[in-house]
Amino acid sequence: MQLAEIQEEFRVRQSSFEAAYPDLLASSSLYRTPPGFRDAILYALHAGGKRVRPVLLLETASLCGIDQRKAMYMALGLELLHTYSLVHDDLPAMDNDDLRRGKPTTHKVYGDDIGILAGDALQTLAFEMFARAGVHSNTLLFFAESAGPCGMVGGQYLDMKGGAMLRDIQDRKTGKLIESSLALAYIEIDSPKKDRVARWGRLLGLLFQITDDILDASGTAEELGKTPGKDARDQKATWVTQWGAAKTRRKAESIVRRLSKAAVSIFSGSAFLQSLPAFIYYRRQ
Amino acid sequence: MQLAEIQEEFRVRQSSFEAAYPDLLASSSLYRTPPGFRDAILYALHAGGKRVRPVLLLETASLCGIDQRKAMYMALGLELLHTYSLVHDDLPAMDNDDLRRGKPTTHKVYGDDIGILAGDALQTLAFEMFARAGVHSNTLLFFAESAGPCGMVGGQYLDMKGGAMLRDIQDRKTGKLIESSLALAYIEIDSPKKDRVARWGRLLGLLFQITDDILDASGTAEELGKTPGKDARDQKATWVTQWGAAKTRRKAESIVRRLSKAAVSIFSGSAFLQSLPAFIYYRRQ
């Protein structure tokens, strides 16, 4: 698949998520929520973003033959969980970011207290969506562990404390949820492929992070949707600060090749997933 | 049942929870967590407290004939969720409390960033425990809605923003989780009693809050496990500031009578639950 073609395929899946999720939210407990609080929660969720996790979930769920409404609830759950993590990451006690995806962060608009509570509520809503999807307990368990202290929020802890290996931080902080986005559908149908898919997903998560690091070091605010060069100013360890730009690119390109090759057999039914690693890496190089 | 007797019954159930939950945690994802982070999470959980929610869940689960290991996972899930809400409530951007149950609050010991993350992780672990319990989707949904933006965290929002009715704040902030503690077992077995139990639980939650308000206005730090008189200093609306001490006591006593009467038919198999409202109110009057 050509890059323009997969970009279009990505957009189609993104749009189908954007079109469908407001209805699911409208029948959730969010619409029995104090209106000012609902506004803060929706502000964070509507701020945009690439909807990568929902797109991955919807694609794999379709390969696994999962009912579309159920898949959409799971996709929304993933996006809500991802959004909670961004809202809390941006708080003054954490990364202290004023901009996210080119807009003022939730706590800048609604205050630090509501930023904390909106993040909390986004996490609870994520699990509400998995309840509404009616997933099996094993699926729920995998999702909870991916999000929890040995997964995403544990990665955030390591990132805050410093001193941990970059790879360990990122495998947890970014990798586990990307892994979930791909593996949950296979876990839900108890597919023998589920472990291979999960490993592929972790490596894809690493590729995401490496690509982000390259962009942070070289991109503009408009391209990034956040303040560029922030990692360097914060003296944050990234792949680029650790390896330099040239080696980071070589590593990324080698991961793209490994993932693309493995995808041919793992995702034989999806040209989209086979082309995705290249798309992620080359989208703005 | 005499107060001394029910106090003893309460202690027995409390102890069985205290004895059982560390094993459940040890087989959870918490033990694949960065150790420093695990410490912060366990610090909050081990800080004690009355374990009211687990005790209520275990008692109702036993009336409903639910397997004890499953019930223990649900009980732990409730306590983890309650603990997350306390950790976040105490943060500087929220109630800014230095003491909780007589000990320094989590963020005072580990820093504001880790306070936020430990609370986040406690919430995720709560849902992990419900996954491990293998509950039905309806049970999970009720739990998530009780905890979410139309429930507990929505009540916290109303409390922060001010201007809402005290009853509305407390029904959400305290009531919903107490309601859950009692109703979840009945929902899990799809009992025709589940709605009556839920209503009884909401009213019991109100009684808890009223009793806490009375204690805050009259108790000592040792009795409360937190700084007394704080509500008044913070000019926080409470039942005592709203009604005065005498009327608040009369209201509480009327609720105790209503709950005790209703419990005779709802919980005909449990002398413990029938005596609980009186125990809650009279424990330190």
Side-chain angles (χ1 to χ4, degrees):
Chain A
M1 238 186 226
Q2 296 299 307
L3 283 189
E5 220 176 318
I6 177 168
Q7 191 142 24
E8 183 51 29
E9 292 277 315
F10 193 94
R11 243 196 312 266
V12 167
R13 286 158 176 80
Q14 209 180 31
S15 304
S16 99
F17 176 73
E18 294 289 345
Y21 87 77
D23 274 356
L24 302 189
L25 276 183
S27 60
S28 81
S29 75
L30 186 63
Y31 279 78
R32 282 166 280 135
T33 291
F37 194 32
R38 187 169 64 218
D39 292 346
I41 293 166
L42 288 176
Y43 176 81
L45 187 65
H46 290 167
K50 299 182 289 294
R51 312 303 193 193
V52 171
R53 292 154 195 80
V55 166
L56 296 180
L57 187 293
L58 292 176
E59 180 69 8
T60 47
S62 147
L63 291 173
C64 291
I66 289 176
D67 169 79
Q68 220 193 327
R69 191 172 170 83
K70 177 177 189 161
M72 199 57 85
Y73 270 121
M74 295 167 73
L76 179 54
L78 278 165
E79 189 67 7
L80 287 162
L81 197 102
H82 172 59
T83 307
Y84 121 70
S85 77
L86 300 182
V87 171
H88 279 188
D89 278 14
D90 288 337
L91 287 168
M94 308 277 288
D95 286 351
N96 195 20
D97 266 308
D98 295 351
L99 272 184
R100 163 76 66 183
R101 295 167 180 167
K103 293 183 190 172
T105 45
T106 306
H107 71 272
K108 289 304 278 184
V109 178
Y110 295 92
D112 296 352
D113 51 351
I114 309 307
I116 294 170
L117 295 174
D120 288 346
L122 283 159
Q123 176 168 198
T124 325
L125 283 168
F127 285 101
E128 179 180 328
M129 296 309 151
F130 273 77
R132 290 184 182 274
V135 296
H136 296 300
S137 291
N138 277 346
T139 310
L140 182 69
L141 181 58
F142 192 91
F143 177 59
E145 290 200 2
S146 300
C150 81
M152 190 188 73
V153 67
Q156 184 62 21
Y157 167 85
L158 292 175
D159 200 12
M160 284 287 126
K161 288 309 271 188
M165 300 292 288
L166 192 53
R167 177 68 190 265
D168 190 26
I169 295 172
Q170 297 191 344
D171 269 354
R172 295 174 191 259
K173 194 176 162 177
T174 315
K176 288 302 287 182
L177 213 57
I178 297 287
E179 177 189 342
S180 263
S181 310
L182 287 150
L184 284 172
Y186 292 87
I187 294 165
E188 180 67 13
I189 64 163
D190 197 20
S191 157
K193 273 188 187 172
K194 63 189 179 213
D195 294 331
R196 280 185 76 197
V197 172
R199 276 196 301 279
W200 194 87
R202 272 199 296 282
L203 195 57
L204 188 75
L206 180 63
L207 179 66
F208 260 104
Q209 195 61 56
I210 295 179
T211 307
D212 269 2
D213 286 355
I214 295 173
L215 284 174
D216 184 84
S218 62
T220 65
E222 202 188 353
E223 282 176 331
L224 288 172
K226 63 178 182 181
T227 323
K230 196 169 183 310
D231 293 343
R233 280 199 308 284
D234 293 351
Q235 299 192 288
K236 209 162 189 167
T238 74
W239 294 109
V240 176
T241 61
Q242 190 156 308
W243 286 337
K247 186 175 170 194
T248 305
R249 281 175 200 275
R250 278 200 308 279
K251 286 265 188 189
E253 283 155 25
S254 142
I255 294 175
V256 169
R257 281 191 300 274
R258 269 174 67 196
L259 284 170
S260 304
K261 190 171 166 226
V264 175
S265 65
I266 305 180
F267 305 115
S268 52
S270 171
F272 174 71
L273 288 175
Q274 293 172 32
S275 311
L276 189 69
F279 171 63
I280 286 165
Y281 177 66
Y282 291 105
R283 62 197 152 121
R284 289 206 207 87
Q285 307 295 323
Chain B
M1 237 186 227
Q2 296 299 306
L3 283 188
E5 219 176 319
I6 176 167
Q7 190 140 24
E8 182 52 29
E9 292 276 316
F10 193 93
R11 244 196 311 267
V12 167
R13 287 159 177 80
Q14 209 177 31
S15 305
S16 99
F17 175 73
E18 294 289 345
Y21 87 77
D23 274 356
L24 302 190
L25 275 183
S27 60
S28 81
S29 75
L30 186 63
Y31 279 78
R32 283 168 278 134
T33 292
F37 193 32
R38 187 169 64 218
D39 292 347
I41 293 166
L42 288 175
Y43 176 81
L45 188 64
H46 290 167
K50 299 181 291 293
R51 313 299 194 193
V52 172
R53 291 154 196 81
V55 166
L56 296 180
L57 188 292
L58 293 176
E59 180 69 8
T60 46
S62 146
L63 290 173
C64 292
I66 289 175
D67 169 77
Q68 220 192 328
R69 190 170 170 83
K70 177 177 189 157
M72 199 57 85
Y73 270 121
M74 294 167 73
L76 179 54
L78 278 165
E79 189 66 7
L80 287 162
L81 197 102
H82 173 59
T83 306
Y84 120 70
S85 78
L86 300 182
V87 172
H88 279 188
D89 278 14
D90 289 337
L91 287 169
M94 308 277 288
D95 286 352
N96 195 20
D97 265 309
D98 295 351
L99 272 183
R100 162 76 65 182
R101 295 165 177 167
K103 293 183 190 172
T105 45
T106 306
H107 71 272
K108 288 306 278 183
V109 178
Y110 294 92
D112 296 353
D113 51 352
I114 309 306
I116 294 170
L117 294 174
D120 288 345
L122 284 159
Q123 177 169 197
T124 325
L125 284 168
F127 284 100
E128 178 180 330
M129 296 309 152
F130 272 76
R132 290 185 182 274
V135 297
H136 295 299
S137 291
N138 276 347
T139 309
L140 182 70
L141 181 59
F142 193 91
F143 177 59
E145 290 201 1
S146 299
C150 81
M152 190 188 73
V153 68
Q156 184 61 21
Y157 167 85
L158 292 175
D159 201 10
M160 283 287 127
K161 286 309 270 187
M165 299 292 289
L166 191 54
R167 176 70 189 265
D168 190 26
I169 296 172
Q170 297 191 343
D171 269 354
R172 294 175 191 259
K173 193 176 161 177
T174 315
K176 287 304 286 183
L177 212 57
I178 297 287
E179 177 189 342
S180 263
S181 312
L182 288 149
L184 284 172
Y186 291 88
I187 294 166
E188 180 67 12
I189 63 162
D190 198 20
S191 158
K193 272 188 188 173
K194 62 188 180 215
D195 294 331
R196 280 185 76 196
V197 172
R199 275 195 302 278
W200 194 88
R202 271 199 296 283
L203 194 58
L204 188 75
L206 180 64
L207 179 66
F208 260 102
Q209 195 60 56
I210 295 179
T211 307
D212 268 1
D213 286 355
I214 295 173
L215 285 173
D216 183 84
S218 64
T220 65
E222 200 187 354
E223 281 177 330
L224 288 173
K226 63 178 183 182
T227 323
K230 194 167 185 310
D231 293 342
R233 279 200 306 284
D234 293 350
Q235 299 192 288
K236 208 163 191 169
T238 74
W239 295 108
V240 176
T241 61
Q242 190 156 307
W243 285 338
K247 186 176 169 194
T248 305
R249 280 174 201 276
R250 279 200 307 280
K251 286 268 188 185
E253 284 154 25
S254 144
I255 294 174
V256 169
R257 282 191 299 274
R258 270 175 66 196
L259 283 170
S260 305
K261 192 171 164 227
V264 175
S265 65
I266 305 180
F267 305 115
S268 52
S270 170
F272 174 73
L273 287 175
Q274 292 171 33
S275 309
L276 189 69
F279 171 63
I280 285 165
Y281 177 65
Y282 291 105
R283 63 195 152 122
R284 290 206 205 88
Q285 305 295 322

